C-alpha cells in the first residue's frame, strides 16, 4: 500500500462492495454483517497474510482513506493508539475494540501510553456545540478525572438507557410522601403524626424480623425538609453519576448504603426506628466527594470547591436536622424519633465501596483487588448485623418500644 496512493473513500467503498459480492455470492440470503466484519474487511486490505497485525504506516493510510467516516474523537484515539506502538505494528483486536466501543486491558494500556495526543485539546474548548453536547461534556467533567475517560465517555454515551434508576427512586419517594401527606393530613413534619409509624414500610426495632423494612424505609420521610434535601442531592449528584457509571453500579452503591444504614441503626441505636433515603444518598455523595478529593488535580469541573462546599452544607443541614429530631421529645412516647445513624452507615459505604466503583470507570470491578477487600468487609458487617439482630436484643434484655 505504501507504493500506491490511497484510494478515496468512494473508490474504496466500491471496491469493498465488489470484493464482498465475489466472496459471498449468496449475500442477499444472509443477515447483514456485524460491524466487526466490516472493519475486518478493511483491515484485511492491509494484511494480506492474515497475521492480525499491520504496520503503523499502513494503519495511518487506512485512517486517511476513511477519515470522513470516522468521528473526530475516535480518530484521535486511533492515532494515539498508533503513536503508542513501539514495535511499529497495530493489532486488529485493539482496532476492533475501539470501533465496537470496547476497551480491553491491552488496548487501554496502549491508549494510556499514547494519551499525549488526546490531551492536546480539551472537550470543553471545542466550538459549535449544541445544548445536549455541552450537557454531556459537563457531566464528564463533573465525574471523571482523566481527559481520556471524558472523551471516551462522550464518544460512547448514547443516553440509552437514560438514568432511570435515580429518577425512578426519586419519583417513588415523592409519590409516597404525597400519599402520606394526604392520608395523614400532614406535610410539614409527618413523623410526629401518631399513625406515621404504623406504615408497613418503616423500619421499627420491634418489627425487625420483617426483612423488607431494612430497605423500604427509604420511601418514608420525616417531613418536607427531609424529603427536599434528599431529593436535591439525589438528582444533582446521583443522576450525573448514573449517566457516567450506569444504573448497575450506582444502584449497587445506593442499595448498599440503604441496607448499611438500617443495619447500623439496629446495632448502634437499637431502640429507634428509621425513615428516609439518607443512607443511599450519603453513600453516593460521599463517594463522589471522596473521588474529587483523591483526584483533585485531574478534576476540571468548574467551581469544584464551591460545589463541594454546597454539598457539604446540604449534608450537614440534613444530618443536623436528624440529630436534633432524634433527641427531641417524642410525640408518641416511649418510641423515640427516627435515628440519624443511617447517615453514618451510608458515608461508610460511600468512602469504601463507592470510591472503588467511581474510580474504575469502564473497568471490570471483579478484576480489582481493593474491590474484593471492601466487598468482604461489607459482607462481614452484614453478617454481624444479622446475627446481632437475632441474638443481641435477647441477650442484652433490651426493652424496646411497643410496635406501632
Amino acid at each position: 500500500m505504501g507504493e500506491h496512493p490511497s484510494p478515496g473513500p468512494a473508490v474504496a467503498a466500491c471496491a469493498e462492495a465488489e470484493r464482498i459480492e465475489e466472496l459471498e455470492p449468496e449475500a442477499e440470503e444472509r443477515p447483514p454483517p456485524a460491524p466487526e466484519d466490516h472493519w475486518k474487511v478493511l483491515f484485511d486490505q492491509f494484511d494480506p497474510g492474515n497475521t492480525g497485525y499491520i504496520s503503523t504506516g499502513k494503519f495511518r493510510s487506512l485512517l486517511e482513506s476513511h477519515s470522513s467516516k470516522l468521528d473526530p474523537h475516535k480518530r484521535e484515539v486511533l492515532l494515539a493508539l498508533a503513536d503508542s506502538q513501539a514495535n511499529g505494528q497495530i493489532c486488529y483486536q485493539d482496532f476492533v475494540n475501539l470501533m465496537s466501543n470496547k476497551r480491553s486491558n491491552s488496548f487501554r494500556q496502549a491508549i494510556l501510553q499514547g494519551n499525549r495526543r488526546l490531551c492536546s485539546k480539551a472537550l470543553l474548548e471545542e466550538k459549535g456545540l449544541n445544548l445536549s453536547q455541552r450537557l454531556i461534556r459537563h457531566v464528564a467533567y463533573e465525574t471523571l478525572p482523566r481527559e481520556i475517560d471524558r472523551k471516551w465517555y462522550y464518544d460512547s454515551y448514547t443516553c440509552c438507557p437514560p438514568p432511570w434508576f435515580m429518577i425512578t427512586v426519586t419519583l417513588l419517594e415523592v409519590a409516597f410522601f404525597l400519599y402520606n401527606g394526604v392520608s395523614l393530613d400532614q406535610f410539614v413534619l409527618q413523623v410526629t403524626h401518631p399513625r406515621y409509624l404504623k406504615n408497613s414500610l418503616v423500619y421499627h426495632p420491634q418489627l425487625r424480623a420483617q426483612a423488607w423494612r431494612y430497605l423500604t424505609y427509604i420511601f418514608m420521610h420525616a417531613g418536607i425538609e427531609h424529603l427536599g434535601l434528599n431529593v436535591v442531592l439525589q438528582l444533582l449528584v446521583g443522576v450525573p453519576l448514573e449517566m457516567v457509571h450506569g444504573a448497575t453500579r450506582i444502584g449497587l452503591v445506593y442499595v448498599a448504603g440503604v441496607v448499611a444504614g438500617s443495619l447500623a441503626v439496629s446495632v448502634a441505636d437499637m431502640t429507634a426506628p428509621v425513615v428516609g433515603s439518607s443512607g443511599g444518598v450519603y453513600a453516593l455523595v460521599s463517594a463522589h466527594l471522596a473521588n474529587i478529593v483523591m483526584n483533585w488535580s485531574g478534576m476540571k469541573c468548574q467551581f469544584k470547591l464551591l460545589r463541594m462546599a454546597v454539598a457539604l452544607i446540604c449534608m450537614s443541614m440534613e444530618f443536623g436536622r436528624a440529630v436534633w429530631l432524634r433527641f427531641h421529645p417524642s410525640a408518641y412516647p416511649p418510641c423515640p424519633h427516627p435515628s440519624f445513624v443511617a447517615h453514618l452507615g451510608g458515608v461508610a459505604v460511600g468512602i469504601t465501596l463507592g470510591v472503588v466503583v467511581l474510580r474504575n470507570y469502564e473497568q471490570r470491578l471483579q478484576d480489582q483487588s481493593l474491590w474484593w477487600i471492601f466487598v468482604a468487609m461489607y459482607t462481614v458487617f452484614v453478617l454481624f448485623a444479622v446475627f446481632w439482630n437475632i441474638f443481641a436484643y435477647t441477650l442484652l434484655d433490651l426493652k424496646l418500644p411497643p410496635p406501632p
Side-chain angles (χ1 to χ4, degrees):
M1 186 63 197
E3 300 174 357
H4 303 283
S6 300
V11 176
C14 292
E16 283 176 41
E18 293 175 0
R19 181 177 179 181
I20 293 173
E21 290 177 0
E22 293 175 1
L23 295 176
E24 303 180 18
E26 300 179 358
E28 66 276 1
E29 300 178 3
R30 301 179 182 181
E36 291 83 354
D37 298 333
H38 170 72
W39 294 113
K40 177 63 173 173
V41 171
L42 295 180
F43 197 89
D44 285 347
Q45 294 178 4
F46 298 87
D47 182 27
N50 199 27
T51 63
Y53 291 86
I54 62 174
S55 68
T56 53
K58 292 181 178 180
F59 185 70
R60 289 181 179 277
S61 298
L62 175 63
L63 294 183
E64 291 174 2
S65 61
H66 293 82
S67 60
S68 61
K69 302 177 183 179
L70 293 173
D71 182 273
H73 298 302
K74 193 160 290 186
R75 184 173 181 274
E76 288 180 6
V77 178
L78 283 168
L79 290 172
L81 176 61
D83 288 344
S84 67
Q85 303 305 303
N87 59 1
Q89 288 187 316
I90 299 294
C91 176
Y92 166 70
Q93 189 57 52
D94 287 341
F95 174 66
V96 169
N97 283 339
L98 173 70
M99 303 315 298
S100 305
N101 285 334
K102 299 176 182 177
R103 290 205 288 186
S104 64
N105 288 333
S106 59
F107 175 72
R108 188 180 298 110
Q109 184 63 33
I111 294 301
L112 288 175
Q113 294 173 2
N115 64 0
R116 59 186 181 278
R117 179 185 294 274
L118 290 175
C119 296
S120 61
K121 185 176 183 180
L123 280 173
L124 289 180
E125 296 175 3
E126 298 178 4
K127 306 299 182 183
L129 304 177
N130 59 38
L131 183 60
S132 63
Q133 290 173 325
R134 287 203 171 275
L135 174 62
I136 295 173
R137 282 161 165 77
H138 277 289
V139 168
Y141 273 80
E142 288 291 324
T143 56
L144 296 172
R146 299 186 306 170
E147 186 69 17
I148 184 172
D149 281 336
R150 297 177 195 129
K151 289 199 173 188
W152 185 273
Y153 165 72
Y154 173 73
D155 291 338
S156 305
Y157 184 69
T158 60
C159 199
C160 184
W164 61 269
F165 177 80
M166 293 309 308
I167 293 176
T168 301
V169 169
T170 301
L171 291 176
L172 286 174
E173 291 172 0
V174 173
F176 275 103
F177 181 82
L178 294 176
Y179 172 79
N180 288 324
V182 172
S183 61
L184 301 176
D185 193 23
Q186 188 165 335
F187 285 92
V188 177
L189 197 58
Q190 293 182 352
V191 72
T192 59
H193 196 283
R195 297 203 316 270
Y196 180 82
L197 288 185
K198 295 182 180 295
N199 194 294
S200 60
L201 302 179
V202 176
Y203 169 82
H204 190 280
Q206 279 280 28
L207 303 174
R208 62 189 183 278
Q210 300 175 359
W212 70 84
R213 292 177 180 265
Y214 290 92
L215 184 61
T216 59
Y217 74 92
I218 66 172
F219 300 116
M220 302 292 293
H221 285 79
I224 187 65
E225 77 293 339
H226 187 199
L227 174 73
L229 288 171
N230 280 339
V231 165
V232 167
L233 290 173
Q234 268 180 193
L235 295 179
L236 292 182
V237 177
V239 170
L241 289 178
E242 186 178 347
M243 290 175 64
V244 172
H245 297 280
T248 301
R249 292 191 178 208
I250 298 306
L252 172 65
V253 176
Y254 188 85
V255 173
V258 169
V259 175
S262 55
L263 289 176
V265 172
S266 69
V267 172
D269 196 4
M270 300 169 66
T271 62
V274 187
V275 297
S277 60
S278 298
V281 173
Y282 275 51
L284 291 179
V285 176
S286 60
H288 180 53
L289 295 182
N291 192 46
I292 292 178
V293 172
M294 294 170 60
N295 301 280
W296 187 261
S297 60
M299 300 298 293
K300 302 299 182 182
C301 52
Q302 294 179 323
F303 311 112
K304 57 185 175 183
L305 188 60
L306 177 62
R307 292 167 186 262
M308 282 191 63
V310 171
L312 290 173
I313 289 173
C314 290
M315 292 174 67
S316 300
M317 289 175 57
E318 208 279 323
F319 182 72
R321 177 212 58 80
V323 173
W324 172 84
L325 185 63
R326 171 64 179 86
F327 296 106
H328 190 270
S330 175
Y332 35 87
C335 185
H337 280 309
S339 176
F340 59 85
V341 177
H343 300 68
L344 305 180
V347 171
V349 168
I351 61 179
T352 53
L353 286 177
V355 167
V356 176
V357 169
L358 301 191
R359 189 177 64 186
N360 294 286
Y361 169 69
E362 281 296 313
Q363 298 181 32
R364 298 197 309 171
L365 290 174
Q366 57 265 38
D367 294 337
Q368 308 297 320
S369 58
L370 192 60
W371 159 256
W372 287 109
I373 292 174
F374 287 139
V375 167
M377 292 171 57
Y378 184 81
T379 303
V380 169
F381 165 72
V382 170
L383 292 176
F384 167 77
V386 169
F387 281 100
W388 180 273
N389 278 273
I390 295 175
F391 301 109
Y393 285 80
T394 303
L395 294 176
L396 296 176
D397 195 22
L398 193 67
K399 293 184 179 179
L400 295 177

